[in-house]
Amino acid sequence: MDRVPPVTAPSTDASDGAVLERLSTLDRYLPVWILMAMGAGLGLGSAVDGLGDALDALAIGTVSLPIGLGLLLMMYPVLAKVRYGEIARDRSPQTRRMLGASLVLNWVIGPALMFALAWLLLPDEPEFRTGLIIVGLARCIAMVLIWSDLSCADREATALLVAINSVFQIVAYSVLGWFYLTALPDLLGLDSQGFAVGLWEVARTVLIFLGVPLVAGALTRGIGVRRLGEQAYEARVLARISPLALHGLLFTIVMLFALQGDAITREPLDVARIALPLLVYFAVMFAAGIAVGRRLQLGYPRTASLAFTAAGNNFELAIAVSIGVFGATSGQALAGVVGPLIEVPVLVGLVSVALWLRRRWSTPLPTGTTA
């Protein structure tokens, strides 16, 4: 994916055509491969007796090792592309506006929106409702790097937003969980199921799924640039490791469906009910990110970073918390599993929407009109 650099200037339709021509077959047909990965996961889970139990056994606490491996493979190449020196030097007013907008979208609007959707659309399903709220509280620190790269967003801005979200996740997740699952329902006279998650449970997930690939990516880039120079590093090293990101994504999807495919196929109506508020959530958060970025005049690359960071969720944390607190067979755990199964194809579609917006962004508007 390194062959598609972040956009730093307005593009034309012709240049977008050139970008598409330079995409690898894996990149260009990503939705097809994702559908095939979903089918492969379902097929494996159905064809191999006890596969789900065997994969479940490969875990440290509530952290699935197969899914963890896929996530690490997925994130490492993207984090090896980030120019960390540019992040450290960036003190611009635009960056401060972007950070402020991201914090509001991720930690105020996102959880509140999911709380509202869960209660409006699942008033009679307390377990699914709680699971969805847990998903809404877990802000994205993993797959957003893939969506950002595919949509030609600002790679450095995305890495900065992911880092900020990680810090807030460790500090705020348990407090917000108590607020949205205990305090606010009690205040509004609604049913409450309670919530208790330790700081270490959240910190461990963040450290594993962001800390390990972040350190590996930063070391790879630092050593590679120092020994080879910037251009040779990007041409030789990144060209070799970049395909690992999408391979990791597809492997993760296969594992998710192999682990949880039985629950998905056994209760299709429950899955559909859980999917509806998720679809609304992803669309609203993405649109809000685009609207805010446009309003703040961040430009397309940073607006796309803002939108995808707001729309995505840390499904590994949400699943781990749901299983740890409510059990692996609970409705909360099912809602957590459905989250990424809906999120992945929806955000792949939103990548296409973002690239369409990228073309429109650069199209001169008629005289007398405004964006």
Side-chain angles (χ1 to χ4, degrees), residues 299-316:
Y300 170 80
R302 289 192 162 195
T303 296
S305 295
L306 183 67
F308 280 107
T309 307
N313 293 92
N314 182 356
F315 68 81
E316 182 63 26

PDB file of all heavy atoms in Angstrom, residues 299-316:
ATOM      1  N   GLY A 299      -8.685  20.065   5.163  1.00  0.00           N
ATOM      2  CA  GLY A 299      -8.235  19.437   3.931  1.00  0.00           C
ATOM      3  C   GLY A 299      -8.634  17.973   3.906  1.00  0.00           C
ATOM      4  O   GLY A 299      -8.899  17.363   4.943  1.00  0.00           O
ATOM      5  N   TYR A 300      -8.662  17.388   2.711  1.00  0.00           N
ATOM      6  CA  TYR A 300      -9.131  16.009   2.607  1.00  0.00           C
ATOM      7  C   TYR A 300      -8.323  15.021   3.439  1.00  0.00           C
ATOM      8  O   TYR A 300      -8.906  14.199   4.178  1.00  0.00           O
ATOM      9  CB  TYR A 300      -9.164  15.533   1.148  1.00  0.00           C
ATOM     10  CG  TYR A 300      -9.411  14.046   1.077  1.00  0.00           C
ATOM     11  CD1 TYR A 300     -10.701  13.542   1.217  1.00  0.00           C
ATOM     12  CD2 TYR A 300      -8.353  13.140   0.964  1.00  0.00           C
ATOM     13  CE1 TYR A 300     -10.937  12.174   1.233  1.00  0.00           C
ATOM     14  CE2 TYR A 300      -8.579  11.770   0.975  1.00  0.00           C
ATOM     15  CZ  TYR A 300      -9.869  11.288   1.106  1.00  0.00           C
ATOM     16  OH  TYR A 300     -10.088   9.945   1.133  1.00  0.00           O
ATOM     17  N   PRO A 301      -6.966  14.997   3.353  1.00  0.00           N
ATOM     18  CA  PRO A 301      -6.225  13.932   4.053  1.00  0.00           C
ATOM     19  C   PRO A 301      -6.518  13.877   5.545  1.00  0.00           C
ATOM     20  O   PRO A 301      -6.760  12.803   6.103  1.00  0.00           O
ATOM     21  CB  PRO A 301      -4.758  14.294   3.775  1.00  0.00           C
ATOM     22  CG  PRO A 301      -4.793  15.086   2.508  1.00  0.00           C
ATOM     23  CD  PRO A 301      -6.056  15.874   2.579  1.00  0.00           C
ATOM     24  N   ARG A 302      -6.509  15.036   6.216  1.00  0.00           N
ATOM     25  CA  ARG A 302      -6.750  15.036   7.660  1.00  0.00           C
ATOM     26  C   ARG A 302      -8.230  14.835   7.992  1.00  0.00           C
ATOM     27  O   ARG A 302      -8.564  14.256   9.022  1.00  0.00           O
ATOM     28  CB  ARG A 302      -6.230  16.328   8.279  1.00  0.00           C
ATOM     29  CG  ARG A 302      -4.709  16.376   8.296  1.00  0.00           C
ATOM     30  CD  ARG A 302      -4.170  17.486   9.146  1.00  0.00           C
ATOM     31  NE  ARG A 302      -2.767  17.244   9.463  1.00  0.00           N
ATOM     32  CZ  ARG A 302      -2.090  17.871  10.408  1.00  0.00           C
ATOM     33  NH1 ARG A 302      -2.685  18.793  11.140  1.00  0.00           N
ATOM     34  NH2 ARG A 302      -0.828  17.586  10.642  1.00  0.00           N
ATOM     35  N   THR A 303      -9.106  15.298   7.120  1.00  0.00           N
ATOM     36  CA  THR A 303     -10.533  15.058   7.329  1.00  0.00           C
ATOM     37  C   THR A 303     -10.834  13.563   7.263  1.00  0.00           C
ATOM     38  O   THR A 303     -11.607  13.038   8.068  1.00  0.00           O
ATOM     39  CB  THR A 303     -11.359  15.824   6.289  1.00  0.00           C
ATOM     40  OG1 THR A 303     -11.168  17.228   6.476  1.00  0.00           O
ATOM     41  CG2 THR A 303     -12.839  15.494   6.414  1.00  0.00           C
ATOM     42  N   ALA A 304     -10.216  12.867   6.300  1.00  0.00           N
ATOM     43  CA  ALA A 304     -10.417  11.421   6.202  1.00  0.00           C
ATOM     44  C   ALA A 304      -9.874  10.717   7.449  1.00  0.00           C
ATOM     45  O   ALA A 304     -10.501   9.794   7.977  1.00  0.00           O
ATOM     46  CB  ALA A 304      -9.744  10.885   4.945  1.00  0.00           C
ATOM     47  N   SER A 305      -8.715  11.151   7.935  1.00  0.00           N
ATOM     48  CA  SER A 305      -8.175  10.578   9.179  1.00  0.00           C
ATOM     49  C   SER A 305      -9.154  10.770  10.328  1.00  0.00           C
ATOM     50  O   SER A 305      -9.411   9.855  11.117  1.00  0.00           O
ATOM     51  CB  SER A 305      -6.832  11.243   9.525  1.00  0.00           C
ATOM     52  OG  SER A 305      -5.849  10.952   8.567  1.00  0.00           O
ATOM     53  N   LEU A 306      -9.698  11.972  10.442  1.00  0.00           N
ATOM     54  CA  LEU A 306     -10.648  12.292  11.505  1.00  0.00           C
ATOM     55  C   LEU A 306     -11.901  11.429  11.399  1.00  0.00           C
ATOM     56  O   LEU A 306     -12.392  10.879  12.395  1.00  0.00           O
ATOM     57  CB  LEU A 306     -11.012  13.777  11.425  1.00  0.00           C
ATOM     58  CG  LEU A 306     -11.946  14.323  12.501  1.00  0.00           C
ATOM     59  CD1 LEU A 306     -11.268  14.313  13.856  1.00  0.00           C
ATOM     60  CD2 LEU A 306     -12.382  15.755  12.139  1.00  0.00           C
ATOM     61  N   ALA A 307     -12.428  11.275  10.175  1.00  0.00           N
ATOM     62  CA  ALA A 307     -13.676  10.545   9.974  1.00  0.00           C
ATOM     63  C   ALA A 307     -13.512   9.063  10.277  1.00  0.00           C
ATOM     64  O   ALA A 307     -14.363   8.455  10.959  1.00  0.00           O
ATOM     65  CB  ALA A 307     -14.163  10.743   8.533  1.00  0.00           C
ATOM     66  N   PHE A 308     -12.445   8.442   9.798  1.00  0.00           N
ATOM     67  CA  PHE A 308     -12.267   7.011  10.036  1.00  0.00           C
ATOM     68  C   PHE A 308     -11.926   6.721  11.492  1.00  0.00           C
ATOM     69  O   PHE A 308     -12.338   5.694  12.037  1.00  0.00           O
ATOM     70  CB  PHE A 308     -11.196   6.444   9.104  1.00  0.00           C
ATOM     71  CG  PHE A 308     -11.713   6.174   7.717  1.00  0.00           C
ATOM     72  CD1 PHE A 308     -11.354   6.993   6.655  1.00  0.00           C
ATOM     73  CD2 PHE A 308     -12.575   5.123   7.481  1.00  0.00           C
ATOM     74  CE1 PHE A 308     -11.849   6.755   5.380  1.00  0.00           C
ATOM     75  CE2 PHE A 308     -13.078   4.881   6.209  1.00  0.00           C
ATOM     76  CZ  PHE A 308     -12.712   5.702   5.151  1.00  0.00           C
ATOM     77  N   THR A 309     -11.179   7.621  12.136  1.00  0.00           N
ATOM     78  CA  THR A 309     -10.888   7.433  13.557  1.00  0.00           C
ATOM     79  C   THR A 309     -12.167   7.516  14.381  1.00  0.00           C
ATOM     80  O   THR A 309     -12.340   6.790  15.368  1.00  0.00           O
ATOM     81  CB  THR A 309      -9.883   8.493  14.044  1.00  0.00           C
ATOM     82  OG1 THR A 309      -8.739   8.478  13.194  1.00  0.00           O
ATOM     83  CG2 THR A 309      -9.425   8.204  15.462  1.00  0.00           C
ATOM     84  N   ALA A 310     -13.083   8.407  13.982  1.00  0.00           N
ATOM     85  CA  ALA A 310     -14.351   8.542  14.703  1.00  0.00           C
ATOM     86  C   ALA A 310     -15.281   7.363  14.461  1.00  0.00           C
ATOM     87  O   ALA A 310     -16.011   6.926  15.362  1.00  0.00           O
ATOM     88  CB  ALA A 310     -15.040   9.845  14.287  1.00  0.00           C
ATOM     89  N   ALA A 311     -15.268   6.816  13.245  1.00  0.00           N
ATOM     90  CA  ALA A 311     -16.227   5.769  12.885  1.00  0.00           C
ATOM     91  C   ALA A 311     -15.817   4.389  13.391  1.00  0.00           C
ATOM     92  O   ALA A 311     -16.672   3.552  13.679  1.00  0.00           O
ATOM     93  CB  ALA A 311     -16.401   5.721  11.369  1.00  0.00           C
ATOM     94  N   GLY A 312     -14.515   4.125  13.506  1.00  0.00           N
ATOM     95  CA  GLY A 312     -14.062   2.790  13.872  1.00  0.00           C
ATOM     96  C   GLY A 312     -14.121   2.526  15.367  1.00  0.00           C
ATOM     97  O   GLY A 312     -14.239   3.441  16.181  1.00  0.00           O
ATOM     98  N   ASN A 313     -14.028   1.254  15.706  1.00  0.00           N
ATOM     99  CA  ASN A 313     -14.050   0.843  17.118  1.00  0.00           C
ATOM    100  C   ASN A 313     -12.994  -0.218  17.385  1.00  0.00           C
ATOM    101  O   ASN A 313     -12.601  -0.959  16.482  1.00  0.00           O
ATOM    102  CB  ASN A 313     -15.426   0.301  17.510  1.00  0.00           C
ATOM    103  CG  ASN A 313     -16.489   1.369  17.500  1.00  0.00           C
ATOM    104  OD1 ASN A 313     -17.150   1.577  16.492  1.00  0.00           O
ATOM    105  ND2 ASN A 313     -16.650   2.059  18.612  1.00  0.00           N
ATOM    106  N   ASN A 314     -12.549  -0.301  18.620  1.00  0.00           N
ATOM    107  CA  ASN A 314     -11.567  -1.289  19.049  1.00  0.00           C
ATOM    108  C   ASN A 314     -12.318  -2.569  19.427  1.00  0.00           C
ATOM    109  O   ASN A 314     -12.630  -2.815  20.589  1.00  0.00           O
ATOM    110  CB  ASN A 314     -10.768  -0.748  20.238  1.00  0.00           C
ATOM    111  CG  ASN A 314      -9.701  -1.703  20.719  1.00  0.00           C
ATOM    112  OD1 ASN A 314      -9.583  -2.814  20.234  1.00  0.00           O
ATOM    113  ND2 ASN A 314      -8.928  -1.269  21.692  1.00  0.00           N
ATOM    114  N   PHE A 315     -12.609  -3.401  18.413  1.00  0.00           N
ATOM    115  CA  PHE A 315     -13.458  -4.557  18.661  1.00  0.00           C
ATOM    116  C   PHE A 315     -12.791  -5.581  19.577  1.00  0.00           C
ATOM    117  O   PHE A 315     -13.464  -6.285  20.324  1.00  0.00           O
ATOM    118  CB  PHE A 315     -13.887  -5.205  17.342  1.00  0.00           C
ATOM    119  CG  PHE A 315     -12.787  -5.857  16.562  1.00  0.00           C
ATOM    120  CD1 PHE A 315     -12.337  -7.126  16.882  1.00  0.00           C
ATOM    121  CD2 PHE A 315     -12.214  -5.220  15.473  1.00  0.00           C
ATOM    122  CE1 PHE A 315     -11.336  -7.738  16.164  1.00  0.00           C
ATOM    123  CE2 PHE A 315     -11.204  -5.825  14.748  1.00  0.00           C
ATOM    124  CZ  PHE A 315     -10.764  -7.082  15.092  1.00  0.00           C
ATOM    125  N   GLU A 316     -11.453  -5.671  19.527  1.00  0.00           N
ATOM    126  CA  GLU A 316     -10.785  -6.645  20.388  1.00  0.00           C
ATOM    127  C   GLU A 316     -11.014  -6.310  21.863  1.00  0.00           C
ATOM    128  O   GLU A 316     -11.301  -7.202  22.678  1.00  0.00           O
ATOM    129  CB  GLU A 316      -9.284  -6.672  20.086  1.00  0.00           C
ATOM    130  CG  GLU A 316      -8.498  -7.692  20.901  1.00  0.00           C
ATOM    131  CD  GLU A 316      -8.905  -9.131  20.636  1.00  0.00           C
ATOM    132  OE1 GLU A 316      -9.409  -9.420  19.537  1.00  0.00           O
ATOM    133  OE2 GLU A 316      -8.719  -9.972  21.534  1.00  0.00           O
TER     134      GLU A 316
END
